[in-house]
Amino acid sequence: MLFLLATLVAEPVKFPMTVESVMRGVALVGHAPRGLVWSEDGTQLGFQWAKADGSKFPAYKSYVVNEDGTGLKEGRVTPKKTEPWDSGSKVGYQIAYESGGDIFIRDTFAKSSENITKSSDAFGRPTLTTDAQSVIFQRDQDLFRYSLATKKTERLTQAKADPTSAVPITLTGPTSYSVGVLSASPSGTHLAALMFKGGGSSRNAQVARFITSSGYVELSGTYPRVGNPQSHSMAKIYSIKTGKAVDIETPRPGSVGQIDWAPDGKHGAMWSYSEDHKDAWLYGFNTETEKITMLWDEHDDAWVGGPGLGTIGWLPDSSAIYFESENSGFANLMEIDPETTKSIPIVSGPFEVSNVQLDKDHERFTFVSSEGSPYERHVDSVSLKGGTKTKLADLSADEDATYAFSPDGFRVAVVRSRANRPAELYVKGVQVTTTPSAEWLSAPWIDPPIINVPSRDGKQIPAKLFQPKNWRKGGPAVVFVHGAGYLQNVYDGWSHYFREYMFHHVLMENGYAVLDVDYRASAGYGKAWRTAIYRHMGGKDLDDVVDGANYLVKTVGAAPDRLGVYGGSYGGFITFMAMFTAPDVFKAGAALRPVGDWANYHHDYTSPILNTPKEDPEAYKLSSPINFVDGLKGHLLICHGMVDVNVQFQDSIRVVQKLIELGKKNWEVAPYPVEDHAFVQPESWTDEYRRIFGLFERTIGNKRQVPGP
């Protein structure tokens, strides 16, 4: 009888730790909650969520939950009722706003609106001047001013000079420049015109599509390659009274950004950028003196960047500009007085600050910070003049992490993750959602320890170590190289590379150790780490990967002749460089959607790091795998989507041709006819990773051929 009862109790289903199983991808883990929106009264939170439901591609649905994290159900929150004047230009009790192509003045006391344009023409961008006497607005490429006292409208700008015209401003720039964005100062005394000059003719790289409804090969345009002529911009600031213009141009070729006016209209500020990426200048304009001042020079001998580049805004009292700077070595929050040019740090230290928001109602900044550990994130606040920071909520560093403040500003709903759990919604500390399937949750997903790998130049390389419970010294090991270059993959949170995370469990199940490294160029560690690859991709970044392999041998105990490497995009590029320029380290490598020649890639990504092929041919020679194919000794797998509009299939094809010409053996290529840079179809993911696993198994794994005595 007892035996019979025992047989009736179902054995728990063990998650199949195979390539075919884990490459089901989002069918297993779904999509994290997104689009957090509080109800107007703060009693409910709405969001979109795609829970794993057994379908191949889980679909987003709308949900609501109570303010205390209870009562989860499908539905939508009652959104705050918005009116056209909510986003208008407000002075006192009056608001100027646009609705249906006309300009209106709203009297918030009388709760009435007056249409001041009444035309079939389209008007927009209204500014109610700080003296509440006039409204400046735009029609087509001209600005007009409406007097609230006289009810008359006058034209302020014209495209061509006309001596018979009373229009005070003629919008003309240097030869080949065209007028772009126009904006009026809140004081009503000046207007700014951003002007652009095209870079000239350029040719976009094209991608061939072989699987088409027409049956013919079709070509799709992508982007101009690095070194193509670039556009430039400048600004002119005009006095409305005199028509006099002040030019704002970069000290050397570059572009001027849009002006950000102070609330009182007495100053304006704008970021400008050099074409060589080595400077970003913060300019200020004084409407009383009509003088331009360089308030700040964000400089780096490599290139300026970081998570806060371009952040700009004004304190509500117009006393200072806030911005982010990396000049200290890390992205920190600063303020500067436009009159004295004195700057002060608001949030500073050896950590990264991002997502800065001015909370006017509570007289504070809110932001995301990595203070305390580069592997963690939290939402903090600080007063507008700096001082003690307040931690508002724990977050995580993954791309799904997000948050939303309640209408009263005191509660924070967050979406955050753990290393072995996808991001979930938390309200008042309560976990609201469970996104993965029960099948996926039944598997023993690990929280891999974060370790420091010593580098050859004395640095500590952040890494995650995946080590089997039954690890035996002399076993095989693999180094995984994340993509993008400037991306962080070592942190306490769910990885963008979640399929690879699961694949690493497949490798562990088969006796492999895996090291996931945040090599030089990765995000999250400050400016010096970010720019260490200047003029040599495949230099210090590759050194870190090789040093990771050495760590696996010396510290973990992997066999030196049983090492593999793989990665996609930038990781595919590093895999190429590892197999071609460090051929005695890795026995096998899988390069996925890899860059083969940086001269073929996008200008905005490549030129900051390597300059341009014309200016710095040596940097491209040192950094492009196509120049080192002859060094291949080990076993190489190349996988690439044929309709990749990011890193084009042509890069892999050129390397393949070089392999053929050099008579190289032990390589193979797998093209994927319908896939772009990031694969979509589970069948493609499965095929790709089955090939990677097969490569490792027959070269460094359990099915390798071991030479006899």
Side-chain angles (χ1 to χ4, degrees), residues 2-325:
L2 291 175
F3 173 78
L4 178 60
L5 288 173
T7 58
L8 292 175
V9 177
E11 290 290 329
V13 177
K14 182 180 179 182
F15 183 88
M17 200 61 74
T18 64
V19 170
E20 291 77 9
S21 179
V22 301
M23 288 303 147
R24 286 177 285 169
V26 294
L28 294 170
V29 299
H31 295 290
R34 68 182 186 185
L36 311 185
V37 179
W38 286 91
S39 61
E40 185 173 4
D41 61 4
T43 61
Q44 287 188 314
L45 179 79
F47 60 97
Q48 288 79 52
W49 179 36
K51 179 179 173 62
D53 57 6
S55 61
K56 186 176 179 180
F57 299 111
Y60 279 99
K61 298 178 182 177
S62 295
Y63 292 83
V64 295
V65 65
N66 295 329
E67 61 181 318
D68 61 358
T70 64
L72 176 66
K73 61 182 180 181
E74 286 192 40
R76 299 176 184 272
V77 297
T78 302
K80 178 182 178 181
K81 185 179 180 181
T82 60
E83 301 291 352
W85 52 83
D86 288 345
S87 58
S89 175
K90 184 177 181 180
V91 176
Y93 63 90
Q94 297 184 99
I95 305 173
Y97 67 95
E98 180 272 332
S99 179
D102 274 318
I103 305 299
F104 293 80
I105 290 292
R106 177 75 176 177
D107 185 321
T108 57
F109 280 168
K111 297 183 179 180
S112 61
S113 296
E114 177 187 0
N115 186 337
I116 64 173
T117 49
K118 298 177 182 177
S119 171
S120 59
D121 293 333
F123 299 90
R125 303 175 63 85
T127 297
L128 179 59
T129 58
T130 52
D131 61 6
Q133 295 299 306
S134 59
V135 180
I136 299 176
F137 54 88
Q138 185 169 342
R139 185 188 70 186
D140 298 327
Q141 283 298 101
D142 285 311
L143 292 183
F144 295 79
R145 179 168 57 191
Y146 175 84
S147 170
L148 297 179
T150 66
K151 308 292 185 181
K152 292 182 179 180
T153 300
E154 61 177 319
R155 184 176 179 178
L156 298 178
T157 66
Q158 58 188 2
K160 294 182 180 180
D162 182 356
T164 65
S165 171
V167 176
I169 296 169
T170 301
L171 298 173
T172 56
T175 304
S176 301
Y177 277 79
S178 58
V179 177
V181 179
L182 301 177
S183 66
S185 67
S187 61
T189 59
H190 292 76
L191 67 86
L194 203 57
M195 300 185 176
F196 298 89
K197 179 182 179 181
S201 60
S202 60
R203 181 179 178 183
N204 287 355
Q206 292 186 310
V207 166
R209 299 177 183 274
F210 291 88
I211 309 298
T212 63
S213 58
S214 69
Y216 292 90
V217 175
E218 297 175 2
L219 298 179
S220 299
T222 57
Y223 49 76
R225 289 174 174 167
V226 61
N228 272 274
Q230 299 299 298
S231 61
H232 300 100
S233 64
M234 63 165 294
K236 282 180 173 287
I237 301 181
Y238 295 87
S239 166
I240 293 177
K241 183 177 181 180
T242 67
K244 176 185 174 183
V246 177
D247 292 351
I248 303 179
E249 299 179 275
T250 52
R252 57 184 186 276
S255 294
V256 175
Q258 188 172 344
I259 194 166
D260 193 337
W261 293 105
D264 64 8
K266 294 180 180 179
H267 293 87
M270 69 216 73
W271 278 111
S272 301
Y273 307 92
S274 64
E275 188 178 297
D276 62 14
H277 309 284
K278 291 169 176 52
D279 286 280
W281 302 283
L282 180 59
Y283 286 110
F285 175 74
N286 187 314
T287 59
E288 293 180 357
T289 64
E290 297 190 335
K291 289 185 177 180
I292 302 292
T293 303
M294 186 186 294
L295 302 174
W296 187 266
D297 182 4
E298 187 76 8
H299 175 79
D300 191 84
D301 290 340
W303 76 95
V304 295
L309 182 67
T311 298
I312 187 172
W314 286 89
L315 297 192
D317 64 1
S318 301
S319 64
I321 304 158
Y322 67 87
F323 64 100
E324 281 206 60
S325 170

Side-chain angles (χ1 to χ4, degrees), residues 366-624:
T366 62
F367 55 94
V368 174
S369 172
S370 65
E371 184 175 8
S373 170
Y375 314 125
E376 298 175 356
R377 298 291 187 275
H378 37 89
V379 183
D380 292 353
S381 69
V382 69
S383 78
L384 297 181
K385 291 299 182 181
T388 303
K389 300 181 290 293
T390 301
K391 181 179 175 180
L392 303 176
D394 288 314
L395 202 62
S396 50
D398 56 285
E399 60 189 16
D400 291 322
T402 188
Y403 56 96
F405 288 100
S406 60
D408 61 13
F410 295 112
R411 291 164 292 157
V412 191
V414 301
V415 174
R416 64 173 182 260
S417 67
R418 291 178 285 159
N420 60 348
R421 288 292 184 271
E424 303 290 4
L425 173 63
Y426 292 81
V427 177
K428 208 173 182 179
V430 176
Q431 181 178 331
V432 174
T433 58
T434 300
T435 305
S437 67
E439 178 194 7
W440 187 88
L441 289 168
S442 71
W445 307 108
I446 71 166
D447 180 355
I450 295 176
I451 62 172
N452 286 317
V453 174
S455 71
R456 65 192 68 187
D457 60 355
K459 306 296 184 183
Q460 296 293 315
I461 310 162
K464 284 186 175 182
L465 178 62
F466 296 76
Q467 188 170 336
K469 288 183 178 180
N470 59 347
W471 170 254
R472 299 173 64 181
K473 289 192 174 183
V478 171
V479 179
F480 169 66
V481 189
H482 69 70
Y486 189 61
L487 175 146
Q488 185 175 5
N489 203 43
V490 176
Y491 53 80
D492 183 16
W494 188 241
S495 175
H496 168 80
Y497 297 94
F498 67 91
R499 292 180 180 85
E500 288 76 3
Y501 167 82
M502 293 190 287
F503 178 60
H504 296 161
H505 285 73
V506 176
L507 290 175
M508 285 195 296
E509 187 89 351
N510 288 273
Y512 294 77
V514 181
L515 193 69
D516 177 354
V517 297
D518 268 352
Y519 50 85
R520 241 71 67 95
S522 298
Y525 306 100
K527 180 167 68 171
W529 201 264
R530 174 178 65 79
T531 60
I533 59 170
Y534 180 58
R535 299 193 67 237
H536 191 186
M537 293 159 145
K540 289 188 181 296
D541 45 4
L542 177 59
D543 287 347
D544 291 347
V545 170
V546 171
D547 290 344
N550 292 334
Y551 178 89
L552 287 169
V553 172
K554 295 177 182 178
T555 304
V556 180
D561 61 344
R562 301 183 69 184
L563 298 176
V565 60
Y566 87 103
S569 195
Y570 198 96
F573 151 71
I574 288 291
T575 298
F576 267 166
M577 293 297 274
M579 298 302 292
F580 298 160
T581 68
D584 296 319
V585 177
F586 297 103
K587 187 76 172 288
L592 321 176
R593 53 196 182 278
V595 174
D597 186 347
W598 286 109
N600 286 355
Y601 199 53
H602 197 284
H603 183 90
D604 290 345
Y605 181 96
T606 316
S607 62
I609 306 172
L610 300 180
N611 303 309
T612 67
K614 183 177 180 180
E615 295 166 338
D616 202 346
E618 186 65 19
Y620 284 81
K621 180 180 178 181
L622 285 173
S623 302
S624 296

